[in-house]
Amino acid sequence: GKRYYIAPENEGPRLAAEEFAGLGFEPLLYPWTGNATEELGHKIAGPEIGADTALPGFYHHNFTPLRTPLLPAEVDRLRQVAAAVAESAVRVLKTFATGITEDEMAARISADLLARHITPSVLLMGTDERIFRYKHAAPRAGILKNYGMLNFCARRHGLVISITRFVHFGPMPATLAASFEKAARINAELLHATRAGATSAHLYAVAAKGYAAAGVPDEIAKHHQGGPCGYLERDWVATPNGSEKVDAVQAFAWNPSLQGAKAEDTGRLHNGEIEILTATPALPIIETAVGGKIYRSAGVYLP
């Protein structure tokens, strides 16, 4: 079939030169004074058209199954952007010092990413008590005293990477260190269970069992645990009755968290093996053995 893109006339030249060049798409343009997407879409494709966003005149449809498994070229791009994101996370985390504001933390990682043609899509910066109080600590008026969280998602070539890292100034409380060990254990168990055919419900059950074993069974109710990703921050998240299944070649980002600690990286499944794409060996690592394999989660950076 033929391929088209529909856009306002004023966007046509840039789209033709920078987005669709060499891809064989034909432009369908309309004056910016009125949106003709529905009219032009039906003109070329007939009355029944599916869309993955809610648009008037189109059938809303979930295209996620059409985007998995990731193709080899997509995996290469995913690996490249993940490495760049991990490098940015380390570079920026090491610039944090006591007295920095959460807004400045967000500004620094945003600038570092944008300079590498990577667009931040989620920015969650927390400091001290806000990290314990809120699972999604959007940047506010917090000022770092001892403990800081760098948590963000970022996109390049449409592919999204998720990562979280922490810094602590001064001795880290033993209770917080223990929470990171527990989060790493749940993360390792989720990684070990992420295999082709595993259902959303099964993966949720793995996480729930991990929280129970850690002595904090109610923590799972306070935040989603993550799931497969690619062109969205999460294609789906693990839920108690979820029927979605893991594909043989798929990216994923788990994010178990409890009592101020969290483990979050982006990885991929291939041939039954887990590859962590956002590994940061320059920062502390927590190793956890599950099923005879060693899984690595990020620890807390102690300057």
Side-chain angles (χ1 to χ4, degrees):
K2 294 185 177 180
R3 289 170 283 185
Y4 302 89
Y5 61 92
I6 301 173
E9 290 174 348
N10 56 300
E11 295 291 343
R14 188 193 67 81
L15 291 172
E18 298 182 349
E19 305 293 345
F20 294 101
L23 298 179
F25 283 80
E26 298 180 34
L28 293 176
L29 306 178
Y30 57 86
W32 64 265
T33 51
N35 190 338
T37 300
E38 181 179 356
E39 175 187 349
L40 292 173
H42 288 300
K43 181 178 179 180
I44 62 171
E48 296 187 352
I49 305 176
D52 62 352
T53 54
L55 294 171
F58 297 84
Y59 293 100
H60 187 225
H61 189 72
N62 178 15
F63 287 177
T64 296
L66 300 179
R67 294 193 291 259
T68 51
L70 294 175
L71 302 176
E74 292 174 306
V75 171
D76 288 342
R77 290 195 292 270
L78 187 77
R79 187 180 286 111
Q80 290 169 13
V81 67
V85 163
E87 290 169 4
S88 284
V90 173
R91 186 162 45 244
V92 171
L93 188 71
K94 289 187 174 182
T95 71
F96 291 172
T98 55
I100 191 174
T101 66
E102 292 170 352
D103 285 332
E104 177 63 20
M105 291 161 63
R108 289 189 188 182
I109 190 61
S110 296
D112 200 273
L113 292 167
L114 290 167
R116 287 154 183 79
H117 308 291
I118 303 171
T119 304
S121 59
V122 174
L123 294 168
L124 301 172
M125 309 294 139
T127 54
D128 298 283
E129 68 277 358
R130 292 191 73 238
I131 301 174
F132 293 87
R133 190 179 304 163
Y134 307 116
K135 297 286 188 176
H136 276 171
R140 290 295 182 263
I143 299 175
L144 196 157
K145 299 181 181 71
N146 299 106
Y147 188 35
M149 178 183 73
L150 177 66
N151 175 195
F152 64 95
C153 303
R155 175 182 284 106
R156 188 168 71 188
H157 303 310
L159 296 163
V160 183
I161 301 298
S162 300
I163 188 172
T164 301
R165 294 295 184 268
F166 295 86
V167 61
H168 196 285
F169 295 91
M172 189 166 65
T175 53
L176 182 58
S179 291
F180 270 93
E181 292 286 345
K182 293 174 182 177
R185 164 66 57 180
I186 299 168
N187 186 51
E189 290 167 350
L190 280 167
L191 292 173
H192 191 70
T194 303
R195 295 295 185 269
T199 65
S200 170
H202 171 68
L203 292 163
Y204 178 90
V206 169
K209 183 179 179 181
Y211 283 103
V216 286
D218 295 337
E219 285 285 318
I220 195 170
K222 299 177 181 179
H223 193 273
H224 75 77
Q225 303 304 300
C229 59
Y231 288 93
L232 297 172
E233 281 76 9
R234 301 294 190 276
D235 289 331
W236 48 264
V237 297
T239 57
N241 301 308
S243 59
E244 302 94 339
K245 293 184 179 181
V246 174
D247 198 281
V249 181
Q250 196 163 21
F252 54 87
W254 298 113
N255 48 257
S257 60
L258 68 157
Q259 300 173 325
K262 182 179 183 180
E264 182 175 24
D265 275 295
T266 300
R268 74 145 182 164
L269 173 67
H270 181 64
N271 290 334
E273 294 294 327
I274 302 296
E275 177 187 8
I276 299 301
L277 303 177
T278 49
T280 50
L283 300 178
I285 295 170
I286 300 173
E287 294 188 338
T288 309
V290 178
K293 295 185 177 183
I294 299 295
Y295 295 94
R296 294 173 176 82
S297 304
V300 179
Y301 174 53
L302 303 172

